[in-house]
Structures are given as C-alpha cells and as structure tokens.
Amino acid sequence: MSTISCFTEWDKLEAIIVGVPDYNCQPDHEPGVKAKIFSAASAKDFPVGLRPPGAYVAAQRELDNLIRVLTFYGVKVEHPEVLDWNQGISTPWWTAPVMHGASCPRDIITVIGKDIIESGMSSRCRFFEYAAYRGLIGRCLELDPASRWTAAPKPVLWDKAYRSDYPWKEDSEKRSSMIERKEFVTTEEDVIFEAADIMKFGRDLFVRHGFTTNLKGIDWLRRHLSWPNADAGVDAPFRVHAIDFPNDLCPLHMDATFFPIKAPDNERKGVIYNSPARRLRESLKPIFRDSFDILDAPQAQWTDSPPRSMCSPWLSMNMLHIDPSTIIVESTEKNTIKHLESLGMKVVQCPFRSCYEMGGSFHCHTSDLHRQGMQVDYFKHLTTTQVTRESSA
Ligand code: DAV
C-alpha cells in the first residue's frame, strides 16, 4: 500500500481493510438496534454478548479464504486491531453492556478521494469502534503524505437521538407509513451517518437516508466534500445526493439494497442492482436515467438468514469488485452468479455465510483504501453543484 485514494465502488482494487471477527458481540436491544431486529418474537433469538466459540472459527476460515483471493489478485490487505468488545461502556448519558466489534470496516471507514473519513455510528454499542482503526489510519497517513484523516462529529446518542416508541417490524403498517414519511428510528437531534450508507460513483456520492444516517449527517458530508482539492486528485466539489427506499422496513446501509455492478462506457449505460423488495423512490430515478440502468437484483437464494444474523437475505447483493469486470460473490448465490455472468462479469465465488452473523457479507466486511481511477463525472446532465437534497414522493 503506497497510496490512499478511492472514487468508485468498482475501479481496480489495490488495497483494502478486511475486518476481524474476534470478540464480536450480539449487541443489547438498545433503541438503535431494537428497530433492526426482525420482530418482537425473534428478539429472544439474539442473546446479548459473545457468540458460541465455533462461530468465530467458522468466520475466520471464510475470511482467510477471502484474504487469499484478494492477495492472489494483487490486493494489499490491512486489518483493524483485535480488541476485546465484550466489555460494558458508558458515557454521561447512557450505558451499554457490550460493544459490537471490528468485523465490518465498511460501516465506519470510507475513503473519498484521499480523505479517510471515520464516521460516528448510529448505535451505542458501536460508539468506541473507531479505536480499532486508529493504528491503521496512522499507518495510512505515514505511507501517503497527501492523504488526510477526518473524524466526523461524534453523535452523542442520547435518548433524544432516537424515537423511543418506534414500531416493531410486525406492526408493518405503522412502520411503513412512518418510513414513507421518512420518520426513522434516529431523529435529527444528532449528526449521524454510517459510512456504509455511502455509494461512490465518481464525482457523485449517493447517501441513504434511513435508520443509520440522518439528514444532519448527509448535510455534514455535503459541506465537508463541497470544495475541490487538486492536491488530492479532487478537481471538482463532490455532489452529495440524499436517496431513500420507501419499501424497506429496515432501512440500514445501502449495500444490500442498491449496488453498482457496471460502470457506463462510451457505448453502454452502466448497471445498478436494486433489490425488488426495496425499490428506489420513484422521484429519484431520473437522476440515473442517462447513465445507468437500474435492474432488479436477482432473487436471493435464501429466504432466511443464518442463525444469529440480523441481516436480510439481500446480503446476496453485498458483493465486492476486484476490478470493473471481476466481482466476488457468495458461492451459494447461484441466481446472482448466473445473472452477473450474463452481463459479462467474471465472478469469483467464495463461501461467506458464517460471516453474516458478524454483520454482513463481503462489502460490509471490507473497506477500500485504494482503487485506481480518478474523479470521473458519470452524471454529466447534472449542473456543477446540482444535488438531490430531500426527495419528495
Ligand atoms: O439488508 O440486512 C445489511 C447491511 C449490513 N451492512 C440488510 C442490510
């Protein structure tokens, strides 16, 4: 690793962080987590604390295989520090009996241009997760003097940061009308965004407004990224767009809902997968129309998630590009593999379902440090600073 730089999700990968499963805990049913648990009835299936020992062994085996694959493709792999997350924490306003872990670097670290941005997290159990990345960020800064490090405002996560009576998923009617009105479990009383809600499309960044990112968080990103920085290869201000998916009853993180597959070239539009269960708000589709086709993601192979996983079967879409035409996909996801191959992609199959309970699939378990490529404008029809703020129905 000699350079820190990223502008897309798909350009040729040179260096990446791969998470560590050690001491990963099931979090307490705190407000930011409770709303993500499937239903009141299934809450009991998520006991708080460490997982069975075999879970860590199985996850590490799959991660070791992923690391072998990445290394084979010439990608330099870095890791967060292994820390003991099975400890209670407190601030003046709340306590949490355990933390979460450093399995999912995508949720907290994102490199935009040459800026290593560390996001504040939306749940209390993840408040101190940054600790695992400070050594690694220090190494990045030393290796690339032109890179820089920004820690976003740390949300306080006090009670007023959450809607305390957020309806359980079973109360789907109430929940869907709230989600349609963009009333999420997080309020606007704090600045909240998680890095996994950001998708990089060159000059344009799409940020998902939902449970894990609020409008204040999107506004912070917009202000932070709105000036050019020629030394950092950033020629123009980024355009930061707020987007949402009104049918998703558990709107967290972009990468199991809306995922770029192919970049546009001179002859053809690019391709984005969108889960058919969670379609992009209709009024937002025109932004993409000239440069990308939005296709229904292939049906996931599974209707349920592995034991103790709080994620949905749409982790089938949570893939990782090695370069614009090579992508890592979970080896049981046959529909997705077949469809990607029909689009001319080279698919690298890796088993990964044991990792799901640690927080996600390949995209979640990694965070790109260096992808080749510059700040390309894929949305030329937008004016210099035209951004999507709050979408209407
Ligand atoms: O669909 O359960 C998982 C994303 C985790 N980063 C889902 C979202």
Side-chain angles (χ1 to χ4, degrees), residues 107 196 252-253 255-257 278 310-312 314-315 318 359-360 364:
D107 300 351
L252 61 131
H253 301 164
D255 49 3
T257 294
R278 310 161 163 186
M310 296 197 322
C311 297
S312 77
W314 290 106
L315 282 185
N318 196 269
C364 302

Side-chain angles (χ1 to χ4, degrees), residues 6 86 103 157 173 192 214 235 249 296 308 347 375:
C6 281
N86 187 26
S103 47
L157 302 183
E173 223 170 283
I192 298 179
N214 66 9
D235 298 323
L249 289 184
D296 275 358
R308 300 178 299 273
V347 175
Q375 194 199 32

Side-chain angles (χ1 to χ4, degrees), residues 233-272:
V234 177
D235 298 323
F238 285 97
R239 289 180 294 230
V240 176
H241 308 272
I243 66 173
D244 73 301
F245 303 84
N247 295 337
D248 189 354
L249 289 184
C250 199
L252 61 131
H253 301 164
M254 182 92 91
D255 49 3
T257 294
F258 197 72
F259 197 85
I261 300 296
K262 287 183 97 152
D265 57 30
N266 291 336
E267 279 147 43
R268 243 167 267 155
K269 286 201 237 179
V271 174
I272 297 170

Side-chain angles (χ1 to χ4, degrees), residues 203 276 342 377:
R203 191 176 163 189
S342 76
D377 187 347

Side-chain angles (χ1 to χ4, degrees), residues 90-110:
S90 65
T91 76
W93 294 282
W94 49 262
T95 60
V98 296
M99 293 176 275
H100 178 55
S103 47
C104 292
R106 185 75 57 181
D107 300 351
I108 179 163
I109 303 289
T110 186

